[in-house]
Amino acid sequence: MTTVDNPLLTASELPYELPPFDRISSEHFLPAFEAGMAEQAAEVRAIADNPEPPTFDNTIVALERSGELLDRVAEVFFNLNASHTDDTLRAVHAEIAPKLAAHSDAIHLDAALFARVERLYEDRDSLGLDEESAWLLRRYHLDFVRAGAALGEAEKARLRELNTELSSLATRFQDNLLADTNDLAVLVTDRAELAGLSEATIAAAAEAATARDEDGKYLLSLSLPTAQPLLSSLENRSVRERLFRASVARGNRGGEHDNKAVLLRIARLRAERAALLGYPHHAAYAIEDQTAGTAQAATDLLRRLAPVAVANARAEAAELTEEIARSGEDHPLEPWDWAFYAERVRRRRFDVDGAELRPYFELDRVLKDGVFHAATKLYGVTFTERHDLPTYHPDVRVFEVFDADGSPLGLFLGDYYARESKRGGAWMNSYRVPSRLLDRKPVVVNNLNITKPPQGEPTLLSFDEVETTFHEFGHALHELLSDTRYPTFAGTNVPRDFVEFPSQVNEMWVLWPEVLANYARHYRTGEPLPQRLVEKLQESRSYGEGFATTEYLAASLLDLAWHTLDADTTVEDVAAFQAQALEKAGVAVPEVPPRYASTYFAHIFCNGYSAGYYSYIWSEVLDADTVEWFRENGGLTRANGDHFRRKLLSRGGSTDPMAAFRAFRGRDPEIEPLLKRRGLAGA
């Protein structure tokens, strides 16, 4: 295949190097990956074999510049494989994942290359480096050591084997989960069984069924977490049970898409790799270079919060049991009942009905008059939709982003609708990573999984989906406002337990009066969300924190249980291990299952959060404290936004993240705002 035939082999000529999606086909990726790895291998070989003494420029900067083609191919591929995959992309993923792992090992385990990095690190104090360059040298040395560069040859060989197999297993876990999620979607034949759902949701379910050649029926698709959103509305208890049982069955039914053996092997090999690198378990390895520092520190935070969260959840369960009786029904509270009766309590106590709210949360208004409006007020950035640029799916929207002075910042892509070719959940990712060294501006994408309404109908969001839209755009801002020299440090390239912090902060603007008044308007009449509902919504936000915190802590502690296994421990029964781990951690509440069970816990087994799911609440400590700062200093102002941008968002990973937080806040973070927010004052 020639360069002309394969658009991935040359830099895009579109604005901001947006990939030419209209010219890219799935068959282009494998040869482009092979070319990219070969090109970087040659570049790295030239660096390692350079007869000149190592300097920061001829070694570290040269490494930063290497791999341009491979980076470009990988950025496009992994985004598409998550957002709009097909059989060819899945096959490429299965083939290329172990090759990429081997390619990374070839770089990090190269003795001559490591010798140059080691020499520079030893001489670091005499090199006269600026702060960001000194931090980059430290990062490179740490990455090489953690990748096994200091091991003996026999250990390096085994490490290569482990990394290759682990990459293949992660791919298999992801493919199994997507297939089982699609296969387990609940098919309903009688429209009456969908009582409680909105007309738009029912119409979308009918369209989904038709797409599977099930005309006249209704298909309820599954989202990633255990607790499916539709459980709060479905009146038919048997359908709720079917939906819940389908959710927890993913990857756990035997057959070709079962994930039990896959995750057991992943856990086992991660433990062996950690031991090879000198760590007692994978969690110790994974958390060492995070802001938490140790697995014990992360565990201590979770266990501090667990008893109060569980007590709150049990109190909520008792109240829901009373609600069942109040409804004239006679059955125990089960996991598939929780959201339904919690919504009834919320509606009665706070007079807030999720269905009543939806007409005020139309996607386009939420995005332009809410998310973008808040960003403009804070940072001066503006957005212009581009209809002239190609996308990988008709649902994707493209916006050009400009700074306050009118200079271009980058491109933002919004991919908001669910489809069978997209993995579950919500996330932000980059198609182009910004860097002053490479004179490159960001191209970022937000992915959500909102049910697409029938043609011509508005997209009306739940309040949770509104929050998610703001959250993911917080990640996008972290990348768009990045101002680092080196691509290694761009935007969200920060410790994993710090990366959620800016996105969680951005959620504060959801109910900020000026922002809410600008976007929360009835899609038909334009009337603002009634003040009565605003007040009730604010009051109701803290309701259900027992459930929310307990399901989250259960997942986080389960993650750490899998990843604090040592290399000598063998687990044979996934369900038994999970049950024992939850019981030992004090979070085994039958009515409140973990947010993710082991067999569909994609965050930790294939999406880079192994021993890191604690990160969300660790980051929330910083987030809650930052929200207090904004409130103390006048809230939604350019001065506040510019301070947050200058001291923290723009720095990316180019400095110690906690030093960046202290520069912003003026002190270390305090946990009290988080405890107050989550109703955990006794923790």
Side-chain angles (χ1 to χ4, degrees), residues 367 371-372 412-416 423-429 444-450 464-480 492 499-500 502-507 510 596 603 609 616:
L367 182 64
V371 174
F372 290 174
F412 170 73
L413 281 60
D415 186 353
Y416 292 104
R423 69 173 171 89
W427 68 97
M428 166 266 170
N429 219 329
V444 302
V445 60
N446 275 176
N447 278 274
L448 274 68
N449 268 278
I450 298 166
D464 285 345
E465 288 169 337
V466 173
E467 286 191 306
T468 301
T469 306
F470 274 83
H471 175 98
E472 294 305 331
F473 194 72
H475 285 306
L477 283 170
H478 202 178
E479 194 90 348
L480 287 165
T492 57
V499 73
E500 296 297 332
S503 57
Q504 289 169 332
V505 168
N506 206 55
E507 292 179 35
V510 173
Y596 304 101
H603 283 77
Y609 271 74
Y616 288 90

Side-chain angles (χ1 to χ4, degrees), residues 62-73:
L63 285 170
E64 281 290 277
R65 291 184 180 278
S66 74
E68 166 65 20
L69 172 57
L70 181 58
D71 287 346
R72 182 170 65 245
V73 175

